Amino acid sequence: MTLDSFVNVGLIPAVVLLLVVGLLAWYSTTLLVTTSTSVFGKPASYSILSAKAFGPRLGPIALDIIIILFSLGMLTSYVIVSGTSTMQLLALVDVELPFLCVPLVSVDLIAPSGVTALLTALILVPLSSLRRIDHLKFTSALSLALI
């Protein structure tokens, strides 16, 4: 939910909705761990659970499809939020160069979709192409610091 969602729905319904979704996520995780503990005697991985639920052939395929769909949804959300935040940041940096009498960055000339495409091409594609995922710890710390 963005701040616009809070404005459109209202503060109290939006907070209640966030709490309900959080409680549902907690309950589903608790149910998953409890079920896997009762079946296997210890918490099981998603691959073991999917193989038990869908069979040894269809289980891994179903798990991969679910992970791909979840990742695409998260990536889409991240790109939308990043593009919106970048546009707001560019609006704050709209300074004029005194010797040129022209704005340094004109927000009116930049389309939000162009900023999103540029952001994706220059930042997200190289970061997602790293061979070792542990290199992302530096960008994760940087992103937390910039918030």
Side-chain angles (χ1 to χ4, degrees):
M1 291 174 114
T2 62
L3 291 177
D4 294 337
S5 301
F6 276 85
V7 171
N8 292 338
V9 175
L11 182 62
I12 294 173
V15 169
V16 168
L17 185 62
L18 283 175
L19 288 174
V20 167
V21 169
L23 287 173
L24 285 173
W26 170 80
Y27 178 71
S28 66
T29 304
T30 304
L31 189 64
L32 183 67
V33 171
T34 304
T35 305
S36 68
T37 304
S38 67
V39 171
F40 300 108
K42 62 180 183 174
S45 67
Y46 281 119
S47 61
I48 293 172
L49 289 173
S50 67
K52 278 289 191 191
F54 299 112
R57 287 182 46 110
L58 188 60
I61 295 170
L63 180 66
D64 288 342
I65 289 172
I66 290 169
I67 289 174
I68 288 170
L69 290 175
F70 178 76
S71 298
L72 284 174
M74 291 305 298
L75 177 66
T76 303
S77 301
Y78 183 75
V79 167
I80 290 170
V81 168
S82 298
T84 306
S85 300
T86 305
M87 289 302 295
Q88 292 171 353
L89 181 66
L90 287 176
L92 290 174
V93 193
D94 195 17
V95 291
E96 292 186 9
L97 294 175
F99 55 90
L100 290 177
C101 297
V102 206
L104 182 64
V105 177
S106 178
V107 181
D108 298 333
L109 298 176
I110 301 174
S113 60
V115 170
T116 304
L118 186 67
L119 181 74
T120 302
L122 295 179
I123 297 174
L124 295 180
V125 170
L127 287 177
S128 64
S129 302
L130 294 174
R131 286 183 181 252
R132 296 183 50 185
I133 199 166
D134 64 338
H135 293 305
L136 289 176
K137 62 185 173 188
F138 303 113
T139 58
S140 178
L142 179 66
S143 67
L144 288 175
L146 292 176
I147 290 177

